Amino acid sequence: MLAQRPPMGWNSWNTFGWQISEDLIVHTADQMKESGLLDAGYEYLVIDDCWALKQRNESGRLVPDPIKFPNGMKAVSDYVHSKGLKFGMYSCAGTMTCGGYPSSLEHEFIDAKTFAGWGVDFLKYDYCYKPQNIPGHILYKRMGMALKNSGRDILFSACNWGSDECDKWIRSSGAHMYRSTGDIQDNWQSIKNIALSRMDKECYSAPYCYDDMDMLVVGMYGKGNVALGGCSTEEYKTHFSLWCMMDSPLMIGCDIRNMNEDVRTILMNKELIALNQDPEGRASYRLTQWNNPEVTILIKPMSDGSFGIGFFNFSDSDAEGSLQFWDMGLETSSGYSLSLRDLWEHEEAGVYKENYTCRLKAHACKVFRAKLV
Ligand code: GAL
């Protein structure tokens, strides 16, 4: 069964936009394998918008652009699979994709068959140019039905940006993950807005259908298609920690052929990924500090009885993070303390009774795995 855990992979859009090609995909596949990203869990390699010719062929099928993909999609898919990766593609529920290419409206079943024939394992399904006369949920239900009956297991990644109150119905369309916000940009304000907009909505994300807070911008440093400003390494750490703690799919968006050491360290932080990939898939709940509402504490219940605990400073100045254990249900009279392990420093941070307090730089975070002792 697909999407038992939040899907992980790489997507071409954030950095490359329309500038995609077989060459890029082949080298990215090589790099996913050689860099250790695949071993860390990143298994889907997804080609986003702008891969097709503007016209379908005479049998009504989508055709890959022969300049970008001279050997067709089956060849690309075979290469991706030969590296032990899974292959993802993109289409749209409206009359055209957002980039102006042919979409799957009224072609859902034939397109699902085409994708299955190319060995596609993942379909991102966008929402641009949606016709007025058909409710959006029907369009996602149609494609969900078409994919399930395509003869291949294809993970369905819905992308209607959280519109039409999709939290309420998208799971029943068959979607395995669904975009709940507008497009991310490579800057702090965008990361902050997306994260805050998805707080207190943890009930909507669970195994087999996860809340997708959009692709990661970690490592873009202001270069590429959505690179509007860039972030510091510290901000990328906070971004990655939030996406892990909130059970978002982890889809890398930077150019992994040129990752620096900081970026590798962030994307391959196995202790943080373990929070995200916990089998029970319980997304974090929020505690707000009464004395500083811009410091958010997230608590993620893990299947082994431990907790992920994250302190996030959304403010523009240094701040204190302080957790009273009583606020997460742990009373002093229980006799328990919390033993904290720092998941960025990869070391034990001590045993605490009743509360824990730390200092956080602007836009920074601390994330712990906490065990009752
Ligand atoms: C947007 C979508 C982006 C990207 C883009 C392609 O609607 O949110 O993630 O897929 O379309 O044109």
Side-chain angles (χ1 to χ4, degrees), residues 32 52 116 129 139 168 176 207 245 300 335 351 354:
M32 282 177 86
Y129 303 105
L139 296 179
K168 294 185 181 160
H176 296 99
M245 288 286 290
K300 180 170 164 52
V351 174
E354 283 184 46

Side-chain angles (χ1 to χ4, degrees), residues 13 48-49 90 98-99 124 126 128 159 161 179 183 214-215:
W13 183 254
D48 208 282
D49 200 358
Y90 164 101
C98 303
K124 175 170 170 181
D126 218 333
C128 282
C159 177
W161 323 297
R179 278 277 303 283
D183 287 14
D214 206 354
M215 282 96 65

Side-chain angles (χ1 to χ4, degrees), residues 17-30:
W18 58 272
Q19 291 173 301
I20 48 176
S21 64
E22 175 178 315
D23 193 59
L24 170 72
I25 300 307
V26 160
H27 286 109
T28 299
D30 291 346

Side-chain angles (χ1 to χ4, degrees), residues 131-152:
Q132 292 301 319
N133 58 335
I134 310 179
H137 71 96
I138 294 289
L139 296 179
Y140 281 93
K141 284 168 183 159
R142 260 192 211 168
M143 191 43 118
M145 193 188 294
L147 290 175
K148 271 271 189 255
N149 291 281
S150 69
R152 190 173 170 89

Side-chain angles (χ1 to χ4, degrees), residues 285 287-288 290 299 322-330 354:
Y285 63 89
L287 297 174
T288 310
W290 62 271
I299 313 281
S322 187
L323 171 65
Q324 305 302 314
F325 299 166
W326 190 85
D327 287 339
M328 53 182 282
L330 187 61
E354 283 184 46

